[in-house]
């Protein structure tokens, strides 16, 4: 095993791009979602986020991390102002448009117009969805947590409605993202298509691990 | 497009397993890591986590979400007591052993012994690593945030050392997890091998999206 050992002193000596690439990719594969918001004055915004996490199922909650100095804050400001956002899964055919949404456009420029993605509105929700996305969730702001160690914000939102292709839903509620061609990301710029290995039965201390038969 | 529309009332009427599967898989593909800890009395513990997120690169910080009622708390208690943990990437050949680490073993049972994964110690760190893992990071506790909406804990830890196969590190610091055969997970039990589509150049408002030439 040709393993390298890196210590705190190495981290300090790396240039900031090397360090950012290394630690952004260390934890493993991430989800990516386009977050749609609208400002108080009605300006549409679409941001690319690698930091949406599952917080809970009942009530259905998601968390989104905002890093003040590296990510444009339009999305966060809009959520504070209007309390609404949408999550839109990114599928294989949308990768380059989604990536372009991370460019630092000025306030007043809509990433929808800049990238050719299409805003779409539901009856119940004021924030724009991405029409092309095959899994859309409309969320409302619940709370925020301030992480002191590096001045980041974890925003918590509640899911109030979901639009999803029926064929991707398994009998037990599991969403087969591979049937939506949803992609994964690692680091800041590497996109992946995941292939299912297997679903496993619920683990119990005294039972062997095995594949689910019903899926 | 045969999209279904689900509302809050639907979520309420689902049984709890359906709801858990649905919302755990909604956000997309996740990382998975084995977290190694040791209790104050020296008992080794290994837990499977789908909720490790990148918090920042300088200082290098990760976050781990703990859901009080659904996840055994031995890992969290050990971190409070000893301030140390390890992150260990799960590769293709370790999937079933990793999954089995999520079984609810009683206090006093080591998941290392139960699954056949091997504890390994570095000179600097008191928490056990998983010898078989090809990407290991030793971390120390920094702070915790209490998410009030559903009584979960976000724990923040600082990375102090990393053991990593040299071949997986790109010139710019990016870690090619596919070269380590690191897997991804979705929902509670579905494991995936991601395949690289492409790395893209840094997005700029006035430049077209394109593939990185240097990777």
């Amino acid at each position: 095993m040709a393993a390298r050992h890196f210590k705190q002193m190495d981290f300090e000596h790396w240039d900031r791009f090397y360090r950012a690439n290394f630690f952004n990719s260390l934890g493993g594969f991430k989800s990516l979602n386009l977050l749609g918001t609208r400002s108080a004055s009605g300006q549409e915004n679409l941001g690319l986020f690698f930091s949406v996490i599952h917080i809970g199922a009942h009530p259905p909650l998601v968390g989104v991390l905002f890093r003040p100095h590296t990510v444009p804050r339009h999305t966060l400001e809009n959520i504070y102002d209007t309390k609404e956002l949408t999550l839109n899964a990114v599928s294989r055919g949308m990768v380059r448009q989604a990536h372009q949404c991370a460019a630092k456009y000025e306030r007043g420029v809509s990433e929808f117009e800049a990238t050719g993605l299409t805003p779409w509105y539901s009856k119940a929700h004021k924030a724009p969805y991405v029409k092309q996305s095959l899994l859309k969730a409309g969320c409302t702001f619940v709370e925020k947590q301030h992480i002191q160690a590096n001045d980041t914000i974890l925003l918590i939102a509640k899911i109030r409605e979901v639009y999803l292709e029926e064929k991707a839903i398994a009998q037990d509620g599991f969403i087969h993202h591979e049937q939506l061609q949803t992609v994964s990301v690692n680091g800041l710029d590497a996109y992946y298509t995941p292939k299912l290995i297997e679903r496993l039965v619920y683990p119990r201390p005294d039972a062997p691990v095995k594949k689910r038969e019903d899926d």
Side-chain angles (χ1 to χ4, degrees), chain A residues 3-212:
Chain A
R4 288 281 307 272
H5 182 207
F6 300 103
K7 300 177 212 174
Q8 220 153 319
M9 199 171 295
D10 301 309
F11 309 158
E12 290 297 331
H13 286 148
W14 290 340
D15 81 61
R16 70 188 187 92
F17 297 106
Y18 192 96
R19 194 164 49 219
N21 285 322
F22 188 87
F23 288 111
N24 270 280
S25 56
L26 186 139
F29 298 103
K30 297 172 282 196
S31 67
L32 76 162
N33 284 278
L34 286 164
L35 265 60
T37 56
R38 210 153 62 142
S39 73
S41 66
Q43 170 73 43
E44 292 168 341
N45 188 282
L46 196 56
L48 184 63
F49 285 81
F50 303 163
S51 58
V52 172
I53 55 167
H54 173 71
I55 300 284
H58 195 211
L61 299 171
V62 292
V64 188
L65 194 80
F66 290 85
R67 274 168 284 160
H69 304 299
T70 59
V71 177
R73 304 290 294 267
H74 302 158
T75 299
L76 187 58
E77 288 162 19
N78 289 349
I79 296 170
Y80 287 160
D81 287 346
T82 65
K83 311 299 181 204
E84 292 196 0
L85 67 150
T86 67
L87 298 184
N88 304 272
V90 176
S91 52
R92 180 72 183 85
M94 295 158 58
V95 166
R96 289 187 167 205
Q97 287 164 303
H99 185 75
Q100 186 63 17
C101 286
K104 288 174 182 154
Y105 292 103
E106 287 174 32
R107 253 251 186 254
V109 175
S110 161
E111 289 83 1
F112 284 106
E113 282 174 33
T115 64
L117 293 169
T118 313
W120 178 82
Y121 289 89
S122 78
K123 284 179 190 162
H125 209 63
K126 275 172 262 160
Y129 291 97
V130 177
K131 189 179 178 189
Q132 288 84 349
S133 176
L134 301 176
L135 170 44
K136 310 174 176 74
C139 309
T140 51
F141 174 79
V142 174
E143 69 178 88
K144 62 169 174 157
Q145 297 288 336
H146 179 222
I147 297 165
Q148 292 168 6
N150 70 342
D151 202 26
T152 53
I153 301 285
L154 179 72
L155 183 135
I156 310 293
K158 185 175 174 181
I159 299 172
R160 61 188 293 206
E161 64 172 356
V162 174
Y163 289 87
L164 171 58
E165 293 296 290
E166 183 146 27
K167 66 174 181 186
I169 312 172
Q171 281 207 337
D172 64 356
F174 174 73
I175 300 167
H176 275 285
H177 274 272
E178 70 276 20
Q179 296 198 16
L180 305 174
Q181 296 198 282
T182 306
V183 298
S184 175
V185 67
N186 198 17
L188 296 161
D189 54 24
Y191 298 93
Y192 292 81
T193 43
K195 188 172 169 240
L196 184 64
I197 304 168
E198 59 189 359
R199 290 187 74 189
L200 296 174
V201 297
Y202 184 80
R204 297 182 193 282
D206 295 319
V209 183
K210 60 179 186 180
K211 193 174 186 302
R212 290 172 63 107

